[in-house]
Amino acid sequence: MTALRDSLLELIRRTSAEIPDDVQAAILAALEREARGTIAAEAMQIIQRNIELARRKSQPICQDTGSVLFYVDTPVGADQLAFAEAARQAVREATRRGYLRQNSVDALTGKNDGTNLGPGTPTFHFHQHPEPETRVRLVLKGGGCENVGAQYSLPDERLGADRDLKGCRRAILDAVLQAQGKGCGPGVLGVCIGGDRATGYEHSKVQLLRRLNDRNPVPELDALEQDILNTANELGIGPMGFGGKTTLLGVKIGTLNRVPASYFVSVSYMCWAYRRQGVALDLEGRITRWLY
């Protein structure tokens, strides 16, 4: 239990303080795209300096360390209750050390007990796999970017969006337009086409576990991802809504089966502080490798 708790504590620290390499590369590429002397370029420079400072001082990249989301792939027979308890201990200690801000409050009273523990905090998504190691991916998702997520039920007469990929495109781009740089853009979109209202949103966040530089194995979805990314970056919204060429850093789309009566398009927005990291663990809970 101690080894597992310590491994999860280090996972939280690195996720909070260090941007993954694929996200860093996308931010540097965005900085090169923006014209020198513009507000957009200055915003990207501030973002880059913030990333460097957080890494050097091992402090949170953003004061809103967000919802704590664990995605855990375990061998058959693993003790999920023990894992969850070790993770809660790690979250409590990470909060005490300042890796996480004290930002989990009671939904009714607003009371903050300073531990980041409570109903739904942290959140666990457990899945079994036929492998001996445990793989843990952690996402720290800020409230600002969570606020600009959106869900559409097609057909949507307002958008002229039918139940097809063209309609999905209209819905996803509308979500970008409605955000207008809020949610600390440039952002990354995780999208699910299909599912129900709950599973659609859940699967849209799973898309955020993908690397920014990967390509969708489904040709139609790959084309849609690239189209939306390029189109969004031509809208002129730019970093933080200040204008410019970088509205999005990436778009990741997945699908779930749906019932014929429903056609949902669920969009989860991730801010530039794309805090996603992962580890593989041995049977004792020690880190054997990093996943990103």
Side-chain angles (χ1 to χ4, degrees), residues 68-140:
V68 183
L69 310 176
F70 285 101
Y71 295 84
V72 190
D73 296 315
T74 67
V76 175
D79 189 339
Q80 296 179 2
L81 294 177
F83 181 97
E85 178 56 30
R88 284 190 285 267
Q89 291 179 16
V91 167
R92 181 190 293 271
E93 180 62 17
T95 305
R96 188 188 71 80
R97 296 190 187 190
Y99 304 156
L100 298 174
R101 304 297 189 193
Q102 300 175 5
N103 64 349
S104 176
V105 303
D106 183 277
L108 298 182
T109 67
K111 182 179 179 181
N112 188 335
D113 69 3
T115 66
N116 274 317
L117 300 178
T121 306
T123 299
F124 299 100
H125 300 276
F126 285 106
H127 302 278
Q128 289 187 344
H129 63 184
E131 299 180 33
E133 68 178 9
T134 295
R135 290 195 289 267
V136 185
R137 292 174 173 86
L138 174 64
V139 174
L140 300 179

